[in-house]
Amino acid sequence: MSPLFTGLLILFALLALLGIGTPIAFALGFVSIAALLIVDGAGSLSILGETFFGGLASFGLVSIPMFILMGSAVASSPAGKDLYEALDRWLNRVPGGLVLSNIGACSIFAALSGSSPATCAAIGKMGIPEMTKRGYPNEIASGSIAAGGTLGILIPPSITMIVYGIATETSIGRLFLAGLLPGFMLTALFMAWTIYDCRRRGIGLSALTERFTMKERFAALPRVLPFLAIIVGILYVLYGGVATPSEAAGVGALFCIVLVVVIYRMWSLTKVTGMFRDTLKESVMIMMIIGASELFSYTLSSMFITQSIAEWIAALDVNRWVLMAIINCFLLFAGFFLPPVAVILMTAPILLPIILQAGFDPYWFAVVLTINMEIGLITPPVGLNLYVINGIAPNITLAEILRGSIPYVLCMVVGIILLCLVPGIATWLPELMMGKAL
């Protein structure tokens, strides 16, 4: 049996387990163990523990629960509400300004939390009822926040970028910088489409009559600015060489907890322990996926499946941009069924040598890969953000949420095309701040 055929069998077995609802980490682990037993016999089980825990033996992984804790502290407080209200007061004079407020709030909250579902939930709980109350269609109200929430895995500090950096042994600080301008670019594309769509439909124009004085606008900022200062501080210490990602994440999490306790009077032990409980659950889930993915990668490598796939793609006698188009289609397909962390852990080590051989920048590719994963978050059958929005707004159907999200999917496709035409959107800032990658 050829390695490629074996790989297909393993893929079908994995998809079958995922299709019946098996948790990702358990599906990866079960398929890996079964394949090793069938091919190498019981003797192969001796390396399971070492391989699984070897995937977790990276100091860089410490930053993941710290960033999750930072996001959990912000998500459990009214910080999202304050951020939303502040932006609404500044953008209410623009057609569709309420939708723009939601997208802007999503982009900033995404930077604080690093989590797409948390961003959707926090901003959606306030934004969707407010938009529907003011006459915005359900599609626009829900689709804009579902799309805005995807920015959580691109705008730094991003958990997805940390996972990519660990999986490919690339600089996490440089990855954060690479995602900054593309994150702003996607936010701008989302806002541009929103303004055009609302003006075309005549939606949200009634809000133009509502006026806020400069005093009222500035009065909304004091509770928001400390959290923005934390983001700026984290980026400064990372790119200034003052601290490692793990150290920056730890300090950022501590400051966020202190701020939500002091500013929002969250003295209750139940609320504080709730932050740590949510952090523990999400962190363990991600760590289990990382360990199981390491085991899965070992299985593929030991059976020469990884090497065969790489050789097959490298042997394709096509232009490197055609090759990139094929890789993008593959990533899109994978993103339809799997969450970003799982896709990155399983595919990045395989694809990195291929894109390097084709002459592509690994940090640029990280951004392209992440945008593909963003598309997967708002497209069926998995579409995690779609279900989060449906959970917090059950009166809006999944079909309506999906219809509202599709234009933003096209904006992301435009974003990928712009990155291909102008790679400097992703590479300019890292090279300016940290020099050329070796």
Side-chain angles (χ1 to χ4, degrees), residues 54-353:
L56 303 177
S58 170
F59 185 72
L61 288 175
V62 175
S63 61
I64 292 179
M66 291 297 99
F67 279 126
I68 292 174
L69 178 58
M70 191 172 96
S72 179
V74 175
S76 63
S77 73
K81 178 176 179 292
D82 288 341
L83 179 61
Y84 170 75
E85 288 180 353
L87 284 168
D88 184 32
R89 292 186 183 186
W90 285 91
L91 295 173
N92 76 300
R93 300 291 296 165
V94 182
L98 195 59
V99 186
L100 298 185
S101 299
N102 282 285
I103 294 174
C106 282
S107 66
I108 299 173
F109 195 92
L112 281 165
S113 69
S115 167
S116 291
T119 301
C120 283
I123 305 302
K125 285 176 184 176
M126 298 158 294
I128 291 176
E130 193 67 26
M131 282 191 284
T132 53
K133 185 173 72 178
R134 298 194 192 183
Y136 286 85
N138 286 342
E139 309 93 81
I140 291 180
S142 57
S144 60
I145 292 181
T150 64
L151 298 168
I153 63 171
L154 179 59
I155 297 177
S158 162
I159 294 169
T160 304
M161 288 292 195
I162 295 171
V163 172
Y164 177 93
I166 292 169
T168 59
E169 298 182 352
T170 46
S171 165
I172 294 173
R174 190 179 287 272
L175 286 169
F176 281 2
L177 279 173
L180 203 56
L181 289 182
F184 293 151
M185 176 189 71
L186 276 188
T187 304
L189 286 172
F190 289 174
M191 288 184 167
W193 164 256
T194 299
I195 293 172
Y196 167 75
D197 193 35
C198 289
R199 187 182 289 276
R200 177 174 61 93
R201 298 194 196 188
I203 296 170
L205 299 180
S206 60
L208 300 182
T209 60
E210 187 177 356
R211 294 181 180 274
F212 292 100
T213 65
M214 292 306 292
K215 182 179 179 180
E216 288 174 321
R217 288 176 174 173
F218 281 105
L221 297 180
R223 288 192 173 191
V224 173
L225 292 178
F227 293 101
L228 300 183
I230 289 177
I231 299 175
V232 174
I234 288 174
L235 297 180
Y236 172 75
V237 298
L238 279 176
Y239 308 140
V242 179
T244 64
S246 301
E247 293 165 344
V251 175
L254 175 62
F255 282 162
C256 278
I257 292 173
V258 171
L259 281 177
V260 298
V261 169
V262 172
I263 294 177
Y264 299 106
R265 310 286 181 185
M266 295 178 63
W267 307 107
S268 169
L269 185 62
T270 304
K271 292 182 179 179
V272 175
T273 54
M275 299 177 198
F276 288 95
R277 183 185 63 248
D278 294 343
T279 300
L280 183 63
K281 287 170 62 177
E282 191 168 345
S283 298
V284 169
M285 177 192 71
I286 291 176
M287 294 300 179
M288 285 288 290
I289 293 175
I290 291 173
S293 295
E294 184 70 20
L295 185 59
F296 187 70
S297 297
Y298 171 81
T299 302
L300 296 181
S301 180
S302 67
M303 297 179 181
F304 296 98
I305 296 171
T306 305
Q307 298 89 324
S308 298
I309 293 173
E311 288 175 6
W312 177 76
I313 295 177
L316 292 174
D317 188 19
V318 293
N319 179 277
R320 71 181 192 133
W321 290 108
V322 175
L323 176 64
M324 181 53 64
I326 294 171
I327 291 174
N328 270 291
C329 291
F330 166 70
L331 291 173
L332 274 174
F333 179 78
F336 289 158
F337 298 96
L338 295 170
V341 169
V343 174
I344 288 172
L345 286 168
M346 287 190 292
T347 63
I350 299 174
L351 296 176
L352 187 65

Side-chain angles (χ1 to χ4, degrees), residues 20-35:
I20 62 174
T22 308
I24 294 168
F26 293 110
L28 288 170
F30 180 81
V31 168
S32 302
I33 293 171

Side-chain angles (χ1 to χ4, degrees), residues 320 323 353-360:
R320 71 181 192 133
L323 176 64
I354 297 169
I355 64 112
L356 288 176
Q357 185 177 342
F360 292 108

Side-chain angles (χ1 to χ4, degrees), residues 357-420:
Q357 185 177 342
F360 292 108
D361 183 273
Y363 299 95
W364 170 87
F365 177 68
V367 175
V368 172
L369 186 155
T370 302
I371 296 177
N372 276 290
M373 297 303 97
E374 287 183 325
I375 294 174
L377 286 171
I378 54 174
T379 47
V382 177
L384 182 58
N385 284 15
L386 302 179
Y387 297 104
V388 171
I389 295 295
N390 187 238
I392 62 176
N395 58 309
I396 302 178
T397 66
L398 277 173
E400 288 177 312
I401 302 170
L402 182 59
R403 281 200 302 271
S405 302
I406 292 300
Y408 297 100
V409 170
L410 298 178
C411 287
M412 293 181 198
V413 173
V414 170
I416 292 175
I417 294 172
L418 288 175
L419 281 166
C420 291

